[in-house]
Amino acid sequence: MNRADPTDATTLMITTVRPDAVMVHGEGSWLVDDRGRRYLDFVQGWAVNALGHAPAEIARALAEQSARLLTPSPAFHNAPQLALADRLTRAAGLERVFFCSTGAEANEGAIKLARKWGRLHRGGAHRIVTTEGAFHGRTLATMAASGKPGWDDLFPPVVPGFVRVPFGDLEATADAIDDDTVAVMLEPIQGEGGVVVPPAGTLRALRELTRERGVLLILDEVQTGMGRTGELFAHQHEDAQPDILTLGKGLGGGVPLAAMLASEAVSCFDVGDQGGTFAGNPLMCAVGLAVVERLTEPDFLAGVRRRAEHLHTGLAALAKRRGCLELRGQGMLLALRLPRESAREVAAAGLRHGLLINAPRTDTLRFMPALTVSVEEIDEMLRRLDAAFEEAL
Ligand SMILES: *Cc1c(COP(=O)(O)O)cnc(C)c1O
């Protein structure tokens, strides 16, 4: 590729491997590249486009808000931020929210808030119990909170203050909590870790454990939140209300928007403790508001659950036919464990068949379609996936 070529990628820092295609257009569950090839998208910007590509309500929110006010600076209130704060805090049953741009930033804020709370209310306790296989983001502190193999050696020194236990292990979690501990932090389902679902009742039990021991429960719902698992928040399946809740990805429906919510008792930031140039900017909050309004329409989540069931049934049949070892996940966040370490090959074959699926592990395929994906699109995905299996296995 040369510099005059609009598809020249040699000026980008190499942080990921990408196919040659340049994506130019999207509509619902379909993505179109610069050569006009159409892809059925079951990645959706990494579980980001909750309403699919280019949904009308987001286009409208962006057009109307951008013509009115992009940002007055975070030093002033703006109407979309206030409206979204009201909707989100009510929906989550938590009293306070801080808006930011990325999931990592929301989690970084959660860590800061917990440490401050520990300083004020738990004798200076600051340690956070996190889980092996977790993914909380790519800032230094959120990398330290994550449990991704190999990450501890990447950018030393590692931010201190985190201790890891096996995901879903109640006994190990209880043992890890001591006087220095301020919180337990985890994802309801580990997304990047490969859609790892803890034993039923784990969140509930962790809620009780943390309450008994006087430490906070931080739930990272950046991936599982905003309807992804069939409820607005995954913790609602087990009625396990956290003290701090982080959201991102689907909240913005495709634009950078994230949030850190907390109960009144835990919301102990003082003026100057937390902020950000784009924190709560009206353009992104107007989009978040459009997303939340759609997701909280009376029948929306029931429809998601119905179509997720259809996806689950179809994948289960395919899994049986193709000798897959496990189908796991919840709602529109599912993963298939393959009989061999061939997930990358199947995903690559899928791409050739116009299907976008993700391989978070060498033996695992992940499915995270738009919450609005249709039954017909699910059936078409299953046909293309079968063809990809045929080619790759
Ligand atoms: C994606 C993700 C993050 C990080 O979000 P960014 O917006 O990429 O910073 C954090 N936690 C979970 C569970 C995620 O899936």
Side-chain angles (χ1 to χ4, degrees), residues 46 101-105 107 135-138 187 189-192 220-224 246 248-249 258 366:
W46 244 254
S101 304
T102 69
E105 203 185 354
N107 285 329
F135 181 84
H136 295 301
R138 292 174 179 281
E187 301 151 85
I189 295 173
Q190 288 186 338
E192 297 311 297
D220 175 352
E221 293 227 33
V222 170
Q223 188 156 154
T224 56
T246 57
K249 294 200 164 93
R366 178 168 48 165

PDB file of all heavy atoms in Angstrom, residues 46 101-105 107 135-138 187 189-192 220-224 246 248-249 258 366, ligand 1:
ATOM      1  N   TRP A  46     -17.820  -5.262  18.969  1.00  0.00           N
ATOM      2  CA  TRP A  46     -17.491  -5.860  20.281  1.00  0.00           C
ATOM      3  C   TRP A  46     -18.619  -5.645  21.280  1.00  0.00           C
ATOM      4  O   TRP A  46     -18.425  -5.039  22.322  1.00  0.00           O
ATOM      5  CB  TRP A  46     -16.170  -5.286  20.826  1.00  0.00           C
ATOM      6  CG  TRP A  46     -15.102  -6.313  20.959  1.00  0.00           C
ATOM      7  CD1 TRP A  46     -14.662  -6.864  22.132  1.00  0.00           C
ATOM      8  CD2 TRP A  46     -14.360  -6.939  19.919  1.00  0.00           C
ATOM      9  NE1 TRP A  46     -13.693  -7.798  21.860  1.00  0.00           N
ATOM     10  CE2 TRP A  46     -13.479  -7.868  20.524  1.00  0.00           C
ATOM     11  CE3 TRP A  46     -14.359  -6.837  18.529  1.00  0.00           C
ATOM     12  CZ2 TRP A  46     -12.608  -8.666  19.786  1.00  0.00           C
ATOM     13  CZ3 TRP A  46     -13.487  -7.626  17.793  1.00  0.00           C
ATOM     14  CH2 TRP A  46     -12.639  -8.512  18.425  1.00  0.00           C
ATOM     15  N   SER A 101     -15.949   8.117  28.969  1.00  0.00           N
ATOM     16  CA  SER A 101     -15.981   7.726  27.557  1.00  0.00           C
ATOM     17  C   SER A 101     -15.755   6.240  27.303  1.00  0.00           C
ATOM     18  O   SER A 101     -16.239   5.705  26.316  1.00  0.00           O
ATOM     19  CB  SER A 101     -14.925   8.521  26.779  1.00  0.00           C
ATOM     20  OG  SER A 101     -15.137   9.904  26.951  1.00  0.00           O
ATOM     21  N   THR A 102     -14.996   5.570  28.173  1.00  0.00           N
ATOM     22  CA  THR A 102     -14.672   4.158  27.915  1.00  0.00           C
ATOM     23  C   THR A 102     -14.888   3.304  29.161  1.00  0.00           C
ATOM     24  O   THR A 102     -14.896   3.808  30.291  1.00  0.00           O
ATOM     25  CB  THR A 102     -13.198   3.978  27.484  1.00  0.00           C
ATOM     26  OG1 THR A 102     -12.348   4.263  28.607  1.00  0.00           O
ATOM     27  CG2 THR A 102     -12.835   4.889  26.321  1.00  0.00           C
ATOM     28  N   GLY A 103     -14.990   2.012  28.916  1.00  0.00           N
ATOM     29  CA  GLY A 103     -15.168   1.073  30.019  1.00  0.00           C
ATOM     30  C   GLY A 103     -13.991   1.108  30.979  1.00  0.00           C
ATOM     31  O   GLY A 103     -14.161   1.042  32.201  1.00  0.00           O
ATOM     32  N   ALA A 104     -12.783   1.223  30.408  1.00  0.00           N
ATOM     33  CA  ALA A 104     -11.592   1.269  31.262  1.00  0.00           C
ATOM     34  C   ALA A 104     -11.652   2.473  32.193  1.00  0.00           C
ATOM     35  O   ALA A 104     -11.318   2.374  33.379  1.00  0.00           O
ATOM     36  CB  ALA A 104     -10.333   1.335  30.393  1.00  0.00           C
ATOM     37  N   GLU A 105     -12.093   3.579  31.655  1.00  0.00           N
ATOM     38  CA  GLU A 105     -12.182   4.807  32.451  1.00  0.00           C
ATOM     39  C   GLU A 105     -13.242   4.661  33.553  1.00  0.00           C
ATOM     40  O   GLU A 105     -13.041   5.127  34.684  1.00  0.00           O
ATOM     41  CB  GLU A 105     -12.550   5.961  31.498  1.00  0.00           C
ATOM     42  CG  GLU A 105     -12.172   7.332  31.959  1.00  0.00           C
ATOM     43  CD  GLU A 105     -12.691   8.398  30.992  1.00  0.00           C
ATOM     44  OE1 GLU A 105     -13.236   8.061  29.916  1.00  0.00           O
ATOM     45  OE2 GLU A 105     -12.574   9.577  31.332  1.00  0.00           O
ATOM     46  N   ASN A 107     -14.106   1.834  34.981  1.00  0.00           N
ATOM     47  CA  ASN A 107     -13.539   0.934  35.996  1.00  0.00           C
ATOM     48  C   ASN A 107     -12.443   1.608  36.801  1.00  0.00           C
ATOM     49  O   ASN A 107     -12.314   1.391  38.007  1.00  0.00           O
ATOM     50  CB  ASN A 107     -13.012  -0.340  35.327  1.00  0.00           C
ATOM     51  CG  ASN A 107     -14.144  -1.266  34.914  1.00  0.00           C
ATOM     52  OD1 ASN A 107     -15.187  -1.300  35.564  1.00  0.00           O
ATOM     53  ND2 ASN A 107     -13.946  -1.994  33.835  1.00  0.00           N
ATOM     54  N   PHE A 135     -11.386  -9.216  32.566  1.00  0.00           N
ATOM     55  CA  PHE A 135     -10.946  -8.109  31.712  1.00  0.00           C
ATOM     56  C   PHE A 135     -11.659  -6.844  32.159  1.00  0.00           C
ATOM     57  O   PHE A 135     -12.880  -6.762  32.112  1.00  0.00           O
ATOM     58  CB  PHE A 135     -11.257  -8.381  30.234  1.00  0.00           C
ATOM     59  CG  PHE A 135     -10.779  -7.258  29.337  1.00  0.00           C
ATOM     60  CD1 PHE A 135      -9.460  -7.218  28.905  1.00  0.00           C
ATOM     61  CD2 PHE A 135     -11.622  -6.234  28.962  1.00  0.00           C
ATOM     62  CE1 PHE A 135      -9.004  -6.174  28.102  1.00  0.00           C
ATOM     63  CE2 PHE A 135     -11.183  -5.184  28.159  1.00  0.00           C
ATOM     64  CZ  PHE A 135      -9.870  -5.155  27.730  1.00  0.00           C
ATOM     65  N   HIS A 136     -10.868  -5.867  32.618  1.00  0.00           N
ATOM     66  CA  HIS A 136     -11.469  -4.620  33.091  1.00  0.00           C
ATOM     67  C   HIS A 136     -10.973  -3.404  32.329  1.00  0.00           C
ATOM     68  O   HIS A 136     -11.359  -2.275  32.652  1.00  0.00           O
ATOM     69  CB  HIS A 136     -11.198  -4.447  34.587  1.00  0.00           C
ATOM     70  CG  HIS A 136     -11.855  -5.495  35.441  1.00  0.00           C
ATOM     71  ND1 HIS A 136     -13.221  -5.702  35.447  1.00  0.00           N
ATOM     72  CD2 HIS A 136     -11.338  -6.422  36.296  1.00  0.00           C
ATOM     73  CE1 HIS A 136     -13.517  -6.696  36.288  1.00  0.00           C
ATOM     74  NE2 HIS A 136     -12.390  -7.154  36.807  1.00  0.00           N
ATOM     75  N   GLY A 137     -10.090  -3.589  31.340  1.00  0.00           N
ATOM     76  CA  GLY A 137      -9.639  -2.448  30.553  1.00  0.00           C
ATOM     77  C   GLY A 137      -8.140  -2.414  30.373  1.00  0.00           C
ATOM     78  O   GLY A 137      -7.426  -3.316  30.836  1.00  0.00           O
ATOM     79  N   ARG A 138      -7.658  -1.364  29.701  1.00  0.00           N
ATOM     80  CA  ARG A 138      -6.254  -1.293  29.297  1.00  0.00           C
ATOM     81  C   ARG A 138      -5.481  -0.116  29.900  1.00  0.00           C
ATOM     82  O   ARG A 138      -4.402   0.220  29.421  1.00  0.00           O
ATOM     83  CB  ARG A 138      -6.175  -1.244  27.765  1.00  0.00           C
ATOM     84  CG  ARG A 138      -6.606  -2.538  27.125  1.00  0.00           C
ATOM     85  CD  ARG A 138      -6.671  -2.436  25.617  1.00  0.00           C
ATOM     86  NE  ARG A 138      -7.073  -3.706  25.031  1.00  0.00           N
ATOM     87  CZ  ARG A 138      -6.264  -4.755  24.854  1.00  0.00           C
ATOM     88  NH1 ARG A 138      -5.003  -4.677  25.207  1.00  0.00           N
ATOM     89  NH2 ARG A 138      -6.707  -5.875  24.328  1.00  0.00           N
ATOM     90  N   GLU A 187     -16.825  -9.336  36.770  1.00  0.00           N
ATOM     91  CA  GLU A 187     -17.848  -9.285  35.733  1.00  0.00           C
ATOM     92  C   GLU A 187     -18.887 -10.362  36.048  1.00  0.00           C
ATOM     93  O   GLU A 187     -18.499 -11.470  36.435  1.00  0.00           O
ATOM     94  CB  GLU A 187     -17.235  -9.596  34.363  1.00  0.00           C
ATOM     95  CG  GLU A 187     -16.129  -8.675  33.909  1.00  0.00           C
ATOM     96  CD  GLU A 187     -15.141  -9.404  32.985  1.00  0.00           C
ATOM     97  OE1 GLU A 187     -15.405  -9.474  31.774  1.00  0.00           O
ATOM     98  OE2 GLU A 187     -14.117  -9.895  33.472  1.00  0.00           O
ATOM     99  N   ILE A 189     -20.533 -12.106  33.937  1.00  0.00           N
ATOM    100  CA  ILE A 189     -20.051 -13.146  33.022  1.00  0.00           C
ATOM    101  C   ILE A 189     -18.761 -12.593  32.441  1.00  0.00           C
ATOM    102  O   ILE A 189     -18.744 -11.456  31.977  1.00  0.00           O
ATOM    103  CB  ILE A 189     -21.055 -13.413  31.881  1.00  0.00           C
ATOM    104  CG1 ILE A 189     -22.362 -14.006  32.423  1.00  0.00           C
ATOM    105  CG2 ILE A 189     -20.442 -14.334  30.819  1.00  0.00           C
ATOM    106  CD1 ILE A 189     -23.466 -14.131  31.367  1.00  0.00           C
ATOM    107  N   GLN A 190     -17.670 -13.372  32.493  1.00  0.00           N
ATOM    108  CA  GLN A 190     -16.425 -12.876  31.904  1.00  0.00           C
ATOM    109  C   GLN A 190     -16.538 -12.882  30.384  1.00  0.00           C
ATOM    110  O   GLN A 190     -16.630 -13.943  29.766  1.00  0.00           O
ATOM    111  CB  GLN A 190     -15.244 -13.730  32.364  1.00  0.00           C
ATOM    112  CG  GLN A 190     -14.886 -13.501  33.823  1.00  0.00           C
ATOM    113  CD  GLN A 190     -13.621 -14.252  34.233  1.00  0.00           C
ATOM    114  OE1 GLN A 190     -13.245 -15.238  33.595  1.00  0.00           O
ATOM    115  NE2 GLN A 190     -12.984 -13.781  35.299  1.00  0.00           N
ATOM    116  N   GLY A 191     -16.542 -11.685  29.805  1.00  0.00           N
ATOM    117  CA  GLY A 191     -16.747 -11.571  28.364  1.00  0.00           C
ATOM    118  C   GLY A 191     -15.496 -11.869  27.565  1.00  0.00           C
ATOM    119  O   GLY A 191     -15.427 -12.863  26.832  1.00  0.00           O
ATOM    120  N   GLU A 192     -14.469 -11.014  27.720  1.00  0.00           N
ATOM    121  CA  GLU A 192     -13.225 -11.197  26.964  1.00  0.00           C
ATOM    122  C   GLU A 192     -12.543 -12.508  27.354  1.00  0.00           C
ATOM    123  O   GLU A 192     -11.816 -13.097  26.559  1.00  0.00           O
ATOM    124  CB  GLU A 192     -12.276 -10.024  27.190  1.00  0.00           C
ATOM    125  CG  GLU A 192     -12.802  -8.688  26.710  1.00  0.00           C
ATOM    126  CD  GLU A 192     -13.336  -8.762  25.303  1.00  0.00           C
ATOM    127  OE1 GLU A 192     -12.552  -9.043  24.400  1.00  0.00           O
ATOM    128  OE2 GLU A 192     -14.541  -8.543  25.111  1.00  0.00           O
ATOM    129  N   ASP A 220     -18.555  -5.059  37.102  1.00  0.00           N
ATOM    130  CA  ASP A 220     -18.189  -4.521  35.796  1.00  0.00           C
ATOM    131  C   ASP A 220     -19.164  -5.098  34.773  1.00  0.00           C
ATOM    132  O   ASP A 220     -19.027  -6.243  34.345  1.00  0.00           O
ATOM    133  CB  ASP A 220     -16.745  -4.924  35.472  1.00  0.00           C
ATOM    134  CG  ASP A 220     -16.315  -4.495  34.067  1.00  0.00           C
ATOM    135  OD1 ASP A 220     -17.178  -4.015  33.293  1.00  0.00           O
ATOM    136  OD2 ASP A 220     -15.127  -4.653  33.742  1.00  0.00           O
ATOM    137  N   GLU A 221     -20.164  -4.289  34.429  1.00  0.00           N
ATOM    138  CA  GLU A 221     -21.156  -4.718  33.438  1.00  0.00           C
ATOM    139  C   GLU A 221     -20.953  -3.975  32.118  1.00  0.00           C
ATOM    140  O   GLU A 221     -21.906  -3.696  31.401  1.00  0.00           O
ATOM    141  CB  GLU A 221     -22.578  -4.514  33.985  1.00  0.00           C
ATOM    142  CG  GLU A 221     -22.903  -5.435  35.150  1.00  0.00           C
ATOM    143  CD  GLU A 221     -24.267  -6.126  35.003  1.00  0.00           C
ATOM    144  OE1 GLU A 221     -24.659  -6.417  33.850  1.00  0.00           O
ATOM    145  OE2 GLU A 221     -24.915  -6.341  36.036  1.00  0.00           O
ATOM    146  N   VAL A 222     -19.697  -3.651  31.838  1.00  0.00           N
ATOM    147  CA  VAL A 222     -19.394  -2.963  30.584  1.00  0.00           C
ATOM    148  C   VAL A 222     -19.869  -3.803  29.394  1.00  0.00           C
ATOM    149  O   VAL A 222     -20.404  -3.280  28.428  1.00  0.00           O
ATOM    150  CB  VAL A 222     -17.880  -2.657  30.488  1.00  0.00           C
ATOM    151  CG1 VAL A 222     -17.504  -2.177  29.095  1.00  0.00           C
ATOM    152  CG2 VAL A 222     -17.496  -1.600  31.532  1.00  0.00           C
ATOM    153  N   GLN A 223     -19.697  -5.135  29.516  1.00  0.00           N
ATOM    154  CA  GLN A 223     -20.136  -6.004  28.426  1.00  0.00           C
ATOM    155  C   GLN A 223     -21.517  -6.610  28.667  1.00  0.00           C
ATOM    156  O   GLN A 223     -22.316  -6.736  27.748  1.00  0.00           O
ATOM    157  CB  GLN A 223     -19.110  -7.123  28.195  1.00  0.00           C
ATOM    158  CG  GLN A 223     -19.394  -7.955  26.967  1.00  0.00           C
ATOM    159  CD  GLN A 223     -18.171  -8.647  26.392  1.00  0.00           C
ATOM    160  OE1 GLN A 223     -18.288  -9.670  25.747  1.00  0.00           O
ATOM    161  NE2 GLN A 223     -16.986  -8.109  26.585  1.00  0.00           N
ATOM    162  N   THR A 224     -21.807  -6.994  29.917  1.00  0.00           N
ATOM    163  CA  THR A 224     -23.061  -7.709  30.193  1.00  0.00           C
ATOM    164  C   THR A 224     -24.246  -6.773  30.400  1.00  0.00           C
ATOM    165  O   THR A 224     -25.385  -7.225  30.381  1.00  0.00           O
ATOM    166  CB  THR A 224     -22.925  -8.578  31.462  1.00  0.00           C
ATOM    167  OG1 THR A 224     -22.528  -7.719  32.554  1.00  0.00           O
ATOM    168  CG2 THR A 224     -21.896  -9.666  31.280  1.00  0.00           C
ATOM    169  N   THR A 246     -20.341  -0.531  36.733  1.00  0.00           N
ATOM    170  CA  THR A 246     -19.781   0.170  35.586  1.00  0.00           C
ATOM    171  C   THR A 246     -20.434  -0.310  34.295  1.00  0.00           C
ATOM    172  O   THR A 246     -20.752  -1.488  34.136  1.00  0.00           O
ATOM    173  CB  THR A 246     -18.251  -0.008  35.489  1.00  0.00           C
ATOM    174  OG1 THR A 246     -17.939  -1.395  35.433  1.00  0.00           O
ATOM    175  CG2 THR A 246     -17.548   0.641  36.665  1.00  0.00           C
ATOM    176  N   GLY A 248     -20.544   0.485  29.816  1.00  0.00           N
ATOM    177  CA  GLY A 248     -19.850   1.054  28.662  1.00  0.00           C
ATOM    178  C   GLY A 248     -20.443   0.422  27.424  1.00  0.00           C
ATOM    179  O   GLY A 248     -21.651   0.210  27.350  1.00  0.00           O
ATOM    180  N   LYS A 249     -19.611   0.075  26.485  1.00  0.00           N
ATOM    181  CA  LYS A 249     -20.041  -0.644  25.280  1.00  0.00           C
ATOM    182  C   LYS A 249     -21.474  -0.296  24.853  1.00  0.00           C
ATOM    183  O   LYS A 249     -21.698   0.765  24.283  1.00  0.00           O
ATOM    184  CB  LYS A 249     -19.840  -2.149  25.465  1.00  0.00           C
ATOM    185  CG  LYS A 249     -18.355  -2.501  25.582  1.00  0.00           C
ATOM    186  CD  LYS A 249     -18.047  -3.956  25.295  1.00  0.00           C
ATOM    187  CE  LYS A 249     -16.566  -4.146  25.047  1.00  0.00           C
ATOM    188  NZ  LYS A 249     -15.793  -4.497  26.232  1.00  0.00           N
ATOM    189  N   ALA A 258     -19.513   5.800  28.614  1.00  0.00           N
ATOM    190  CA  ALA A 258     -19.449   4.828  29.708  1.00  0.00           C
ATOM    191  C   ALA A 258     -19.937   5.517  30.971  1.00  0.00           C
ATOM    192  O   ALA A 258     -20.109   6.747  30.996  1.00  0.00           O
ATOM    193  CB  ALA A 258     -18.017   4.317  29.886  1.00  0.00           C
ATOM    194  N   ARG A 366     -17.294 -16.587  19.895  1.00  0.00           N
ATOM    195  CA  ARG A 366     -18.226 -15.767  20.668  1.00  0.00           C
ATOM    196  C   ARG A 366     -19.234 -15.094  19.737  1.00  0.00           C
ATOM    197  O   ARG A 366     -18.884 -14.633  18.658  1.00  0.00           O
ATOM    198  CB  ARG A 366     -17.462 -14.718  21.471  1.00  0.00           C
ATOM    199  CG  ARG A 366     -18.374 -13.778  22.269  1.00  0.00           C
ATOM    200  CD  ARG A 366     -17.611 -12.936  23.271  1.00  0.00           C
ATOM    201  NE  ARG A 366     -16.429 -12.291  22.699  1.00  0.00           N
ATOM    202  CZ  ARG A 366     -15.774 -11.298  23.271  1.00  0.00           C
ATOM    203  NH1 ARG A 366     -16.185 -10.839  24.440  1.00  0.00           N
ATOM    204  NH2 ARG A 366     -14.707 -10.770  22.711  1.00  0.00           N
TER     205      ARG A 366
HETATM  206  C1  LIG B   1     -14.658  -3.943  26.918  1.00  0.00           C
HETATM  207  C2  LIG B   1     -14.601  -4.096  28.370  1.00  0.00           C
HETATM  208  C3  LIG B   1     -13.922  -3.166  29.176  1.00  0.00           C
HETATM  209  C4  LIG B   1     -13.107  -2.030  28.607  1.00  0.00           C
HETATM  210  O1  LIG B   1     -13.878  -1.126  27.903  1.00  0.00           O
HETATM  211  P1  LIG B   1     -13.142  -0.071  26.935  1.00  0.00           P
HETATM  212  O2  LIG B   1     -14.260   0.800  26.459  1.00  0.00           O
HETATM  213  O3  LIG B   1     -12.498  -0.874  25.843  1.00  0.00           O
HETATM  214  O4  LIG B   1     -12.155   0.646  27.755  1.00  0.00           O
HETATM  215  C5  LIG B   1     -13.987  -3.325  30.534  1.00  0.00           C
HETATM  216  N1  LIG B   1     -14.663  -4.333  31.089  1.00  0.00           N
HETATM  217  C6  LIG B   1     -15.331  -5.253  30.346  1.00  0.00           C
HETATM  218  C7  LIG B   1     -16.096  -6.325  31.032  1.00  0.00           C
HETATM  219  C8  LIG B   1     -15.308  -5.163  28.960  1.00  0.00           C
HETATM  220  O5  LIG B   1     -15.938  -6.084  28.232  1.00  0.00           O
END
